[in-house]
Amino acid sequence: MASSLTKDSASTSGSEKTFFGHPRGLATLFMTEMWERFSYYGMRALLPLYLIAPNGLHMNPATATAIYSVYVSLVYLLAMPGGWFGDRVWGPRKTVAVAGAVIMIGHLALALPTEGTFFVGLGLVAIGSGLLKSNISTMVGQLYDGPDDPRRDGGFTIFYMGINVGAFAAPLAIGTVGENVNWHLGFALAAAGMALGLVQFLLGTRHLNERSLVVPKPLSAAERTSTLRKAMIWMAVAAVFYIITVVTGVYTLNWILVPITVAGLVIPVLVLARIKRDKELSATEQSKMSGYIWFFVAAAIFWMIYDQGGSTLAIFADSSAENSVLGWGFPVSWYQSVNPVLIMALAPVFAAFWMSLNRRGKEPSTIVKFSSGLVLVGASFFLFLMPLTIATDGHKAAAMWLVAIYFVQTVAELTLSPVGLSVTTKMAPAKYASQMMGVWFLAVTAGDCTTGLLSIAGVDLNGTGVVTLQAALAVAAGVAIFMYRNKVKQLMGDVR
């Protein structure tokens, strides 16, 4: 990290160090996010494989997919209360420090060879990730002099590169150790990664903006008491309920999975309905929210398919793919490095491409980009039908089929995801400006919970019929948005 620090020639003192021309605190947050993503994506690459492995928990693929989907949905669902904690209770800096410790403890629990501690560990990692996700991005923004600082967008670009560097390296390191040496040693390596991230965060906090220590809107004494009382009541109700199910002998894993998946579908609807019914919103803001619902539903369909790259596709690769290139075999978890390396390679290309079209007045609208992303992610599952067809009668599908699927999904992601983030901020009512990014994450929650419910119901997501149906649904959603683009544009108002 020291080698990347350069002297800021524009500094008035001539001695202030920067990170690639940005505030030095960006190096701290970059490295924290990189190591956190290293631990998260490394564990995620192992998760479905460990769940189905004979020397792991030896579950059936449907249950493994349900657990994986519920876990991923929880991470995004908890991003909203995580942001609330940063705004109302601890402030961003303390929240990130606590989150890092919780994630590390969660990975250590996963490293213990018992089923009970494994699920406790999953819960802790989900809670910690939710606490960290919103607040670390807030601290990146605080490094700059407001939204008009010309370095701000570049700073976020560097920060997001940290995400992809960690996501790329994690399956190669953690996946290899977990699959080839010992599953629990792999989870322990994820804990070590988070520990490194936490240590360097604590050592580098002096470079962060002092605003990161401030609680923007602290709870009053009455609010704190009321919140704590309600939380304790709900925790007591849940504890009593699950104790009864265990004592009476009716408890199964579905008693945990089903409530979470249902909540993951109901909560987004309730949140959108609450915003839509707010009488304080202007007619223009109401119209924009109506338009945003189109994007939200379409995004949920997108993430439902896209996030199966770590579950459905991984499980297929484990059982039915020839995981080798030119005779050189590799662990199944390595497929999870394909997307981040493609993101790093293609993101600058896409940015330059859109800028080139914009200069000529030919850049596609938000709606066209969004619908294209949906059609492409649907096309990736139509492509998935080829290896599914090949892998019959004991045959194995070539690894490049899976790489091709991940490639199409990455192009789809680059077409839709940045647009979704942008349109969320542009269409957000002023009253909910800081909450709308959490609403966008709820689209991921809804998509993953749909996958979870299908798996709980025993649907074989590697079946050609189900894959075809999902692919057709995504393409149809993309076509529908394009066909009704004039109506959606009208609802969007001045947003383009």
Side-chain angles (χ1 to χ4, degrees):
M1 185 171 68
S3 63
S4 61
L5 294 172
T6 59
K7 296 289 184 180
D8 185 354
S9 58
S11 172
T12 55
S13 65
S15 61
E16 181 184 345
K17 291 183 178 180
T18 65
F19 181 67
F20 293 115
H22 292 265
R24 193 174 181 183
L26 184 61
T28 296
L29 299 177
F30 174 94
M31 295 297 289
T32 303
E33 183 72 356
M34 185 192 77
W35 283 115
E36 188 273 331
R37 292 291 88 181
F38 175 85
S39 68
Y40 173 76
Y41 281 105
M43 183 276 288
R44 215 172 86 161
L46 286 184
L47 180 57
L49 305 175
Y50 172 72
L51 292 173
I52 64 174
N55 62 340
L57 296 186
H58 205 189
M59 295 179 173
N60 63 63
T63 303
T65 300
I67 293 171
Y68 178 91
S69 301
V70 166
Y71 165 72
V72 174
S73 70
L74 262 182
V75 169
Y76 288 95
L77 181 63
L78 293 171
M80 285 194 76
W84 180 86
F85 258 87
D87 287 341
R88 306 298 307 275
V89 183
W90 289 331
R93 189 185 299 188
K94 183 177 179 180
T95 303
V96 168
V98 172
V102 171
I103 292 170
M104 182 182 68
I105 294 169
H107 286 304
L108 289 173
L110 292 173
L112 299 175
T114 63
E115 185 172 332
T117 55
F118 179 81
F119 287 106
V120 169
L122 276 185
L124 289 173
V125 175
I127 291 169
S129 298
L131 286 170
L132 186 140
K133 200 168 189 65
S134 300
N135 290 285
I136 195 167
S137 296
T138 298
M139 286 193 291
V140 173
Q142 290 173 341
L143 295 172
Y144 300 94
D145 298 324
D148 295 327
D149 190 320
R151 301 173 300 169
R152 186 183 179 93
D153 287 351
F156 271 99
T157 300
I158 294 172
F159 174 72
Y160 287 123
M161 285 297 289
I163 294 175
N164 287 294
V165 169
F168 168 70
L172 303 181
I174 295 173
T176 302
V177 171
E179 287 191 66
N180 294 344
V181 182
N182 180 275
W183 295 109
H184 298 286
L185 188 59
F187 294 129
L189 184 58
M194 188 65 254
L196 286 172
L198 180 59
V199 168
Q200 73 83 39
F201 175 76
L202 295 174
L203 292 175
T205 51
R206 65 186 184 277
H207 302 301
L208 302 177
N209 192 296
E210 290 300 310
R211 285 183 295 164
S212 64
L213 288 168
V214 177
V215 181
K217 190 180 178 183
L219 292 171
S220 65
E223 287 176 320
R224 188 179 293 270
T225 301
S226 174
T227 302
L228 185 60
R229 183 174 62 250
K230 290 177 182 177
M232 294 301 291
I233 289 173
W234 280 108
M235 288 174 64
V237 169
V240 170
F241 174 79
Y242 284 107
I243 287 172
I244 291 172
T245 61
V246 171
V247 170
T248 56
V250 299
Y251 174 81
T252 65
L253 192 57
N254 283 350
W255 283 98
I256 294 286
L257 297 179
V258 172
I260 294 175
T261 51
V262 171
L265 292 171
V266 172
I267 289 174
V269 173
L270 294 178
V271 170
L272 287 171
R274 177 174 63 86
I275 297 174
K276 191 74 179 68
R277 290 200 309 265
D278 192 333
K279 298 186 183 300
E280 294 183 13
L281 301 188
S282 67
T284 300
E285 289 176 325
Q286 286 281 1
S287 176
K288 287 181 179 179
M289 280 306 301
S290 296
Y292 183 74
I293 290 172
W294 281 75
F295 292 107
F296 184 92
V297 173
I301 295 171
F302 176 89
W303 295 115
M304 177 186 72
I305 293 176
Y306 179 89
D307 275 348
Q308 288 182 60
S311 55
T312 304
L313 289 177
I315 290 172
F316 171 83
D318 185 57
S319 63
S320 305
E322 187 66 49
N323 302 309
S324 64
V325 176
L326 301 176
W328 175 68
F330 56 87
V332 175
S333 53
W334 282 23
Y335 284 112
Q336 302 310 307
S337 289
V338 174
N339 172 259
V341 76
L342 287 174
I343 288 286
M344 289 187 285
L346 295 177
V349 176
F350 268 72
F353 179 62
W354 296 138
M355 286 295 294
S356 174
L357 290 179
N358 181 268
R359 285 193 294 269
R360 290 181 282 169
K362 295 182 179 181
E363 183 180 5
S365 67
T366 294
I367 296 173
V368 172
K369 290 179 182 177
F370 214 88
S371 59
S372 298
L374 276 167
V375 170
L376 283 168
V377 83
S380 76
F381 259 35
F382 278 126
L383 182 60
F384 186 23
L385 293 173
M386 292 300 295
L388 282 174
T389 303
I390 293 169
T392 56
D393 301 325
H395 293 102
K396 298 271 188 178
M400 294 311 295
W401 282 112
L402 292 169
V403 173
I405 294 168
Y406 286 119
F407 174 81
V408 175
Q409 290 188 345
T410 301
V411 174
E413 180 189 3
L414 288 169
T415 305
L416 180 141
S417 186
V419 174
L421 291 168
S422 176
V423 81
T424 297
T425 58
K426 290 177 181 177
M427 296 177 72
K431 181 178 178 180
Y432 298 98
S434 62
Q435 298 180 41
M436 282 299 288
M437 198 54 68
V439 173
W440 169 254
F441 289 145
L442 289 180
V444 185
T445 297
D448 284 317
C449 282
T450 302
T451 302
L453 277 179
L454 290 172
S455 299
I456 292 168
V459 174
D460 179 12
L461 294 175
N462 271 318
T464 55
V466 176
V467 170
T468 302
L469 183 61
Q470 291 181 84
L473 177 63
V475 171
V479 171
I481 288 182
F482 183 78
M483 294 293 290
Y484 287 89
R485 62 189 181 280
N486 291 331
K487 179 180 179 179
V488 178
K489 281 181 183 177
Q490 186 177 5
L491 291 171
M492 292 170 67
D494 58 352
V495 176
R496 289 293 178 264

